[in-house]
Amino acid sequence: MSFEVPPVTGVEPSLSTPTTQRTDKPLAATTREDDAVHVDMIPASPPAELHDQIDAASQRVDDLQAKGRELHFSLDESSKRVVIEVRDTKGNVLSTIPPSKALDVVSGGDLD
């Protein structure tokens, strides 16, 4: 996906502009067509490897579900740290694991 951003034209200083202004740049922009910016940074669809990673993570969630386990992520407001709990499918907390262990589990490592 791409889109065109037209040049800024007719810029007038606002009434709330401070009285001390920089004098090294003009206040009004030019109106030349070649000043338009072409943005082509948003891909039309995610890259194929991202689809593969999403599929692998989905498979891992299914594997954990089959074992009666799930990961629950929350933020501890006092410490501003992520808390990751291993829970059974009824919501009972079985253990708490550090983020590094959660990444290992999501990548296919064991919970134990």
Side-chain angles (χ1 to χ4, degrees), residues 6-78:
V8 178
T9 59
V11 176
E12 296 291 329
S14 70
L15 296 176
S16 63
T17 304
T19 55
T20 55
Q21 294 182 357
R22 294 177 57 174
T23 57
D24 57 340
K25 293 189 177 187
L27 291 177
T30 60
T31 333
R32 295 186 339 223
E33 197 58 38
D34 60 330
D35 286 340
V37 176
H38 179 74
V39 179
D40 194 22
M41 298 171 23
I42 303 171
S45 66
E49 61 269 10
L50 181 59
H51 288 285
D52 295 340
Q53 293 169 351
I54 291 171
D55 289 342
S58 176
Q59 180 62 46
R60 186 60 180 143
V61 168
D62 292 342
D63 293 345
L64 289 173
Q65 278 286 346
K67 294 178 181 179
R69 304 288 184 263
E70 62 186 19
L71 298 179
H72 180 267
F73 298 81
S74 62
L75 180 67
D76 180 347
E77 289 297 327
S78 61

